[in-house]
Amino acid sequence: QVQFVESGGGLVQPGESLRLSCVASAVAFRYAAMGWYRQTPGKRRELIAMVTRGNITNYADSVKGRFTISRDDAKATLYLHIGSLKSEDSAVYYCNREDGSLKRQRPAYSWGQGTQVRVSS
C-alpha cells in the first residue's frame, strides 16, 4: 500500500520559513518524479513544485524564488523549504508521485493527510 506522511506545518508569522517533509513508501518514491501540492478551502489542489528522479526542479510562478523542493532517495523523503512566507501560502500541503507536469498534473496515488501551514501575524 502506497502511503505519504507529510509533516512540518504549523502557525508562523509572515516572513518566516518552514521546512516540510514527506515520507513516502519506497515503491512510490523510487525512480519517480515527486511533487508538492497545496489546497485551500474551495479551491482545487494545485501542484506547486516538482522534482524529477534526476533532480531537475520546476516551480509554479506563485512560489518561484521562495520555495525549494528537494529529495533524499535513500530515505524516500521529499522536502519543501518555504521561505518568506506570505498569508496566501496558508494551505494544506500534500506530496505525491507526479506523472505529469505543472501544467497538466497527474498525481499517481491516493493522498496522505497533508500538513497545515497557517501564516498569520
Side-chain angles (χ1 to χ4, degrees), residues 4 37 96-99 106-111:
F4 302 102
Y37 311 72
N96 208 321
R97 169 177 149 174
E98 175 53 49
D99 287 346
R106 288 194 296 134
Y109 297 108
S110 298
W111 301 98

Side-chain angles (χ1 to χ4, degrees), residues 7-75:
S7 63
L11 174 62
V12 296
Q13 294 188 346
E16 293 186 338
S17 300
L18 276 178
R19 189 179 80 159
L20 308 183
S21 299
C22 166
V23 179
S25 302
V27 66
F29 201 90
R30 192 182 306 144
Y31 309 129
M34 297 293 297
W36 279 101
Y37 311 72
R38 67 183 181 187
Q39 188 173 27
T40 54
K43 294 189 176 181
R44 66 185 294 266
R45 203 166 319 203
E46 175 193 17
L47 175 63
I48 56 170
M50 62 183 295
V51 57
T52 68
R53 55 183 287 191
N55 277 310
I56 296 173
T57 58
N58 202 2
Y59 300 92
D61 288 341
S62 58
V63 306
K64 199 172 293 184
R66 298 189 299 118
F67 287 27
T68 303
I69 188 172
S70 60
R71 62 191 294 162
D72 184 333
D73 288 353
K75 296 180 180 179

Side-chain angles (χ1 to χ4, degrees), residues 100-121:
S101 66
L102 282 178
K103 291 184 178 180
R104 294 191 68 181
Q105 61 185 71
R106 288 194 296 134
Y109 297 108
S110 298
W111 301 98
Q113 84 288 349
T115 186
Q116 173 82 54
V117 173
R118 186 180 172 204
V119 184
S120 176
S121 56

